[in-house]
Amino acid sequence: MMYTTQMDAAKRGIITKEMEIVAKKENMDVEVLRGLIAQGKVVIPANKNHKALDPEGIGEGLRTKINVNLGISKDCYNIDKEMEKVKTALDMKVEAIMDLSSYGKTEEFRRRLVEMSPAMIGTVPMYDAVGFYDKELKDITAEEFLKVVQKHAEDGVDFVTIHAGINRQTAEVFKRNKRLTNIVSRGGSLLYAWMELNNEENPFFKYYDELLDICEKYDLTLSLGDACRPGSIHDATDTSQIQELLVLGELTLRAWERNVQVIIEGPGHMPINEIAANVLIEKKLCHGAPFYVLGPIVTDIAPGYDHITSAIGGALAASHGVDFLCYVTPAEHLRLPNLEDMKEGIIAAKIAAHAGDLGKNIKGAKDRDYAMSKARQELNWEKMFELAIDPEKAIRYRKESQPQHEDSCTMCGKMCSMRNMNKVMEGKNINILREDD
């Protein structure tokens, strides 16, 4: 039986090869997974033209996934350097890479990325439009915006961020309710500017059905962008953010009618005490669609350390039901991240995702922690390194400061609690000041 998208197949009772792969990875019954996809609570972004893809699921009951942002810009135009970052990110087993390229040969970079990447690939076609047509923003037509989405879909990207919720109504709410940092979403700000300059409706909202035609044809997952995400703690959970979320909820239902898979994007900057409520609001207003957040960053005062501020917010958000974390690097708000920044951001996001999985009792999430604790109790250093999120760093730290006794470390030496408790539990003596008998 033929089907158009993963959601169409799920509604028809068809188990796709992608569903089988994801169910095995998640240790989940494939029929349960199919049911969640049919309801829109889980997505498998899998463009029909992405032949190298090793599919992953995002949504309810699944492991929290992470996304890495990469791409070339006018100020840092070096495709080879970006490809080095891509290869490293793939080696670090990230589940998704977003190509945010905004200058030059974006098509070449995007095609190379899709051709080599087993991870799902996302883009923001809006970023590409100005360079693609070599026209000023104001002069790009609605039809031309849709053609860029069509091009990205043909090239095999698995999901696209589309800021369709910043329509004329949302824009009027934004104007009436002043913000400290206005619209910080790059794509959202460009669309708002286009609307103001042309006195027209958002083309992605006005021609949403045509957008869905493209998505249905290629099984392109819609990541409905949050143009009004808060860019500061001050603006969190404000009227503009909630107004846009109401629109995104309606757009979600329209997409599901066409069997188009949907992810909802979220904040942004947010105080820690508002995160749980934001997850609940999104899940309610957007009918349980998977939730994808940038951070959230829980304080505005840590430039250079925003991989930490975002990991704090991401862990809490994931524990309350967020399904997909966009990594944040130490370079956030400062510059394009380099290779080391990217690696630090990936590790921080992986920690946040796993901590969130522990909090929401994802099946099997605790197994690795149990094994690590057992290895620590046994003072099995090799096993500890094997289980570590970043084995390379753990091994380096151990080698940089060698203890006198191999069954301890230079922090505690022979006062090591694990070492001494093992001896006592075995009925042995403890010699702290003298050599063992």
Side-chain angles (χ1 to χ4, degrees):
M1 188 184 296
M2 296 295 292
Y3 58 88
T4 55
T5 68
Q6 295 292 323
M7 180 176 240
D8 180 38
K11 287 179 180 178
R12 293 168 182 253
I14 300 169
I15 302 295
T16 67
K17 67 179 187 298
E18 290 84 5
M19 292 179 202
E20 290 176 345
I21 292 168
V22 170
K24 187 175 181 180
K25 287 181 178 181
E26 302 287 344
N27 196 20
M28 175 181 279
D29 182 272
V30 73
E31 274 297 330
V32 173
L33 178 65
R34 184 196 60 76
L36 291 168
I37 295 169
Q39 296 174 65
K41 293 181 178 179
V42 167
V43 300
I44 302 178
N47 188 312
K48 295 170 183 176
N49 289 342
H50 189 177
K51 306 304 182 185
L53 180 69
D54 183 7
E56 294 281 357
I58 301 169
E60 185 178 303
L62 310 186
R63 289 177 296 106
T64 307
K65 307 306 188 299
I66 71 165
N67 171 69
V68 169
N69 289 338
L70 297 169
I72 48 179
S73 69
K74 188 172 184 179
D75 288 313
C76 296
Y77 184 71
N78 189 319
I79 291 179
D80 290 335
K81 274 192 175 181
E82 286 307 296
M83 289 309 299
E84 183 184 359
K85 284 196 264 183
V86 168
K87 290 171 184 174
T88 300
L90 294 174
D91 287 343
M92 295 178 75
K93 306 298 183 187
V94 302
E95 290 92 5
I97 293 175
M98 284 202 81
D99 173 16
L100 304 188
S101 295
S102 58
Y103 179 77
K105 297 180 180 178
T106 58
E107 182 179 351
E108 177 190 337
F109 181 73
R110 182 170 61 252
R111 284 185 165 182
R112 286 176 63 184
L113 190 55
V114 170
E115 185 178 338
M116 71 177 288
S117 176
M120 64 185 104
I121 302 300
T123 60
V124 187
M126 186 70 197
Y127 295 173
D128 195 24
V130 174
F132 187 82
Y133 293 110
D134 195 23
K135 296 168 72 170
E136 286 300 331
L137 177 67
K138 178 180 183 295
D139 300 325
I140 301 173
T141 67
E143 183 182 12
E144 286 173 332
F145 281 127
L146 288 170
K147 281 184 177 178
V148 175
V149 179
Q150 171 80 27
K151 180 63 181 148
H152 285 220
E154 288 174 357
D155 288 344
V157 304
D158 303 294
F159 64 101
V160 285
T161 293
I162 301 290
H163 298 90
I166 179 73
N167 59 9
R168 295 297 291 270
Q169 182 181 5
T170 305
E172 288 304 314
V173 170
F174 162 73
K175 290 176 188 176
R176 292 196 302 268
N177 296 270
K178 298 300 181 184
R179 296 180 122 193
L180 180 63
T181 49
N182 294 315
I183 295 175
V184 300
S185 159
R186 187 174 11 165
S189 66
L190 290 171
L191 272 171
Y192 177 83
W194 186 93
M195 291 161 61
E196 291 293 297
L197 291 169
N198 290 287
N199 194 28
E200 287 281 351
E201 180 58 276
N202 179 341
F204 293 119
F205 181 79
K206 185 175 181 178
Y207 299 102
Y208 191 64
D209 286 328
E210 287 79 0
L211 175 66
L212 295 178
D213 288 340
I214 298 169
C215 294
E216 186 179 24
K217 180 178 179 181
Y218 295 92
D219 199 358
L220 178 64
T221 298
L222 262 186
S223 188
L224 289 173
D226 52 338
C228 294
R229 72 169 183 262
S232 62
I233 298 300
H234 178 275
D235 293 342
T237 325
D238 71 350
T239 307
S240 297
Q241 181 191 338
I242 301 303
Q243 169 60 34
E244 184 179 30
L245 201 57
L246 289 167
V247 178
L248 297 185
E250 294 177 354
L251 294 176
T252 298
L253 293 179
R254 287 176 60 186
W256 287 349
E257 288 174 3
R258 297 285 301 277
N259 297 317
V260 172
Q261 300 184 99
V262 173
I263 300 168
I264 303 296
E265 297 187 13
H269 293 235
M270 182 154 291
I272 201 165
N273 60 306
E274 294 182 20
I275 291 173
N278 268 262
V279 179
L280 177 63
I281 291 168
E282 183 277 339
K283 291 288 185 177
K284 287 281 188 182
L285 295 183
C286 296
H287 319 289
F291 198 15
Y292 173 32
V293 297
L294 178 66
I297 290 171
V298 294
T299 176
D300 297 335
I301 63 168
Y305 297 91
D306 277 326
H307 59 311
I308 297 173
T309 61
S310 73
I312 294 168
L316 188 58
S319 73
H320 285 286
V322 158
D323 309 287
F324 197 20
L325 300 179
C326 185
Y327 92 148
V328 174
T329 77
E332 187 78 12
H333 304 110
L334 300 172
R335 60 166 168 77
L336 191 77
N338 62 26
L339 183 63
E340 288 306 311
D341 297 329
M342 183 198 73
K343 289 165 76 172
E344 287 194 50
I346 290 172
I347 295 299
K350 280 178 170 275
I351 292 168
H354 183 69
D357 288 349
L358 292 174
K360 57 190 174 189
N361 287 316
I362 294 298
K363 188 175 182 180
K366 293 180 181 177
D367 294 350
R368 189 169 172 184
D369 292 77
Y370 181 89
M372 176 64 89
S373 294
K374 190 171 189 301
R376 283 179 173 150
Q377 182 270 320
E378 295 172 347
L379 296 167
N380 184 342
W381 296 98
E382 292 305 316
K383 190 66 176 176
M384 288 185 237
F385 299 147
E386 178 188 322
L387 293 164
I389 282 181
D390 184 2
E392 183 181 315
K393 188 172 187 178
I395 292 168
R396 174 164 56 84
Y397 272 33
R398 174 76 173 165
K399 286 181 177 178
E400 284 175 353
S401 186
Q402 289 289 325
Q404 183 179 357
H405 297 273
E406 279 300 313
D407 60 353
S408 64
C409 74
T410 54
M411 178 72 178
C412 299
K414 291 182 73 176
M415 288 188 182
C416 171
S417 59
M418 293 292 188
R419 177 182 185 274
N420 291 331
M421 283 303 299
N422 288 346
K423 287 181 175 291
V424 169
M425 298 295 283
E426 292 168 8
K428 295 179 181 178
N429 189 19
I430 298 173
N431 295 323
I432 296 175
L433 300 179
R434 300 175 302 280
E435 291 299 318
D436 292 343
D437 296 334

